[in-house]
Amino acid sequence: MKINQNYLSLNDSYLFSSIAQKVRDYKAANPNKEVISLGIGDVTRPLAAAVVQAIQEAATEMGQKDTFRGYGEEQGYHFLRQAVAEYYAKKGVTLDADEVFISDGAKSDLANVLDIFAGGQTVLIPNPVYPVYHDTNVMVGNRIVYTDGTEKNGFLPMPDPQITPDIIYLCSPNNPTGAVYSKSQLQEWVNYALKAGAVILFDAAYEVFIRDKDLPSSIYQINGAKECAIEICSLSKTAGFTGTRCGYTVVPKSLVRSGAQLNKLWLRRQTTKFNGVSYIIQKGAAAVFTQEGQAQTRSDITYYANNAAVITKTLNKKGIWSTGGINSPYVWFKCPDGYSSWQFFDKLLNEANVVGTPGAGFGSGGEGFMRFTAFGNAEKTLQAMKNFEKLF
Ligand code: MLT
């Protein structure tokens, strides 16, 4: 038999697994040191009370013969799809519930969505980038072309008229750089995709961090986007679901390529390969969209935003260039004194006992940069910044 040779072109391990291993090694060698992680974007605030209550009630229902449920709809229960559609309505975006697909999180769908496209596509990916976009396209053997984020363009690369892509990945607020596209910038991307007949895969996992009302929090706030974009979102960062797992993908019915509605293809794919997210978790997810759930989860977002402000303030104080951190949980900064990303990662870990994510791990365009996340505990973030300051 033959294996998928494309896997042999990947790095040996996934970025965050490699970092976790390095941190484990350091801790094993230095058992008395307290290491503070501002590395992987994993949340630390517990689930909101409204979510916990909904999960408990759903668990009780599952334990009683009259309310027990077996297989649910592969696309997700209507109550949750409707709640998501109503959430979009508040952003001025009209969606039908059958344009929403419930998933176990953004990462899986960002990868799985490639199933509905033919192989050998030209895929335009920003550099630096969330490694899942890159790695999953390597796995299926697509041709990857890059659009570079740089200090000069504020890590907001714009379309390149020389390239005619089939698929375009965009993430705003961006992971890893925290940079956020304006409406006019996204309009340029949408126009470009429409002209090329391309599909934009828009990762909106951090949309809830946008506080500036003029910035778009969904690509569907842009004219023409429903004819060229799939939006992928998650409750991981919005409501602390990194361990609970629930997200959603929007495939508008007006998105047609080669005469086929992508909504129908995705439904076909999901009904065949996915059995949905558990009822209990979908009930918890629906609670996020209630008035109570929104108030509780938004207060956690404010907590994280305060951490981001603490990080940015420290970087500013030290005269270190950074972006993100205002409408985003990520702060992206230039490694001081010409350090490479991994050199600075080691220095931070060894001398300040702080874990960051090396920019180079997000692609060559991230070399010389570093990412901190604001998802930590407030006291520990403050301590991490004190340790960081002592490096200079
Ligand atoms: C990150 O740190 O980039 C994210 O936590 C990764 C993810 O959401 O999968």
Side-chain angles (χ1 to χ4, degrees):
M1 65 87 68
K2 287 187 185 152
I3 56 153
N4 180 347
Q5 292 284 325
N6 296 322
Y7 276 68
L8 304 182
S9 320
L10 293 166
N11 288 339
D12 276 354
S13 85
Y14 182 58
L15 172 64
F16 294 106
S17 316
S18 312
I19 293 171
Q21 188 55 52
K22 271 184 173 267
V23 175
R24 274 195 297 273
D25 292 347
Y26 180 81
K27 283 182 175 166
N30 301 275
N32 300 324
K33 293 269 165 72
E34 196 209 349
V35 175
I36 303 175
S37 176
L38 304 182
I40 189 163
D42 197 3
V43 291
T44 50
R45 304 290 298 153
L47 291 175
V51 171
V52 174
Q53 187 183 339
I55 288 175
Q56 284 169 339
E57 285 168 7
T60 303
E61 280 181 58
M62 291 296 268
Q64 290 169 359
K65 92 175 153 29
D66 293 342
T67 46
F68 169 77
R69 290 161 189 255
Y71 290 124
E73 284 176 68
E74 295 90 344
Q75 192 177 345
Y77 283 100
H78 186 268
F79 66 78
L80 180 54
R81 289 187 285 116
Q82 187 59 33
V84 173
E86 284 165 19
Y87 179 68
Y88 272 86
K90 292 192 192 124
K91 299 174 185 240
V93 174
T94 309
L95 293 179
D96 290 340
D98 60 0
E99 295 181 301
V100 178
F101 295 77
I102 306 305
S103 70
D104 70 338
K107 181 176 173 178
S108 327
D109 274 9
L110 282 161
N112 293 336
V113 73
L114 295 176
D115 270 14
I116 64 170
F117 302 110
Q121 306 278 356
T122 298
V123 181
L124 185 59
I125 291 182
N127 178 15
V129 73
Y130 177 41
V132 171
Y133 313 161
H134 173 270
D135 289 0
T136 55
N137 278 283
V138 169
M139 286 171 181
V140 300
N142 279 338
R143 172 176 168 255
I144 299 175
V145 282
Y146 298 97
T147 168
D148 291 335
T150 59
E151 203 176 327
K152 195 154 162 240
N153 63 22
F155 287 92
L156 290 169
M158 294 306 294
D160 179 348
Q162 313 288 326
I163 303 167
T164 306
D166 301 303
I167 296 171
I168 301 164
Y169 282 83
L170 293 178
C171 177
S172 180
N174 188 267
N175 181 13
T177 68
V180 187
Y181 281 114
S182 68
K183 279 194 176 146
S184 63
Q185 286 173 319
L186 276 190
Q187 188 66 64
E188 266 190 61
W189 276 109
V190 165
N191 295 347
Y192 173 71
L194 288 170
K195 190 163 171 226
V199 172
I200 296 175
L201 300 177
F202 190 77
D203 181 351
Y206 303 96
E207 57 87 22
V208 77
F209 285 88
I210 295 183
R211 287 185 285 174
D212 180 342
K213 296 265 176 293
D214 291 333
L215 292 172
S217 62
S218 163
I219 192 141
Y220 302 123
Q221 290 166 327
I222 309 301
N223 292 332
K226 281 192 178 172
E227 281 71 50
C228 67
I230 291 176
E231 182 158 297
I232 293 145
C233 200
S234 157
L235 295 182
S236 284
K237 314 297 157 82
T238 305
F241 272 56
T242 52
T244 311
R245 309 306 312 156
C246 194
Y248 49 89
T249 290
V250 177
V251 190
K253 285 180 275 190
S254 50
L255 177 49
V256 175
R257 289 293 178 274
S258 307
Q261 263 189 336
L262 298 195
N263 179 288
K264 282 197 179 150
L265 301 191
W266 185 242
L267 180 64
R268 187 69 179 81
R269 189 267 174 209
Q270 292 298 80
T271 47
T272 307
K273 293 197 178 182
F274 188 54
N275 260 338
V277 175
S278 85
Y279 173 70
I280 295 172
I281 298 307
Q282 291 194 56
K283 281 302 251 189
V288 172
F289 297 102
T290 60
Q291 215 180 352
E292 206 189 357
Q294 284 288 292
Q296 292 167 357
T297 52
R298 296 288 161 143
S299 120
D300 291 332
I301 300 303
T302 304
Y303 177 98
Y304 295 135
N306 290 341
N307 286 344
V310 166
I311 296 170
T312 304
K313 197 170 148 204
T314 309
L315 294 169
N316 288 344
K317 194 166 146 193
K318 291 290 162 195
I320 296 170
W321 185 92
S322 71
T323 183
I326 299 173
N327 294 291
S328 159
Y330 294 123
V331 185
W332 178 254
F333 65 95
K334 197 167 182 171
C335 299
D337 304 327
Y339 276 92
S340 75
S341 302
W342 281 104
Q343 279 169 344
F344 197 64
F345 170 89
D346 286 335
K347 184 176 169 69
L348 259 179
L349 179 59
N350 292 312
E351 297 175 30
N353 302 143
V354 173
V355 182
T357 308
F362 298 101
S364 57
E367 182 52 279
F369 289 84
M370 194 85 188
R371 189 194 77 174
F372 278 155
T373 121
F375 287 116
N377 160 283
E379 288 73 36
K380 288 196 174 165
T381 303
L382 212 56
Q383 184 59 51
M385 288 300 102
K386 281 192 188 143
N387 296 0
F388 180 87
E389 280 198 50
K390 283 192 207 139
L391 283 181
F392 303 95

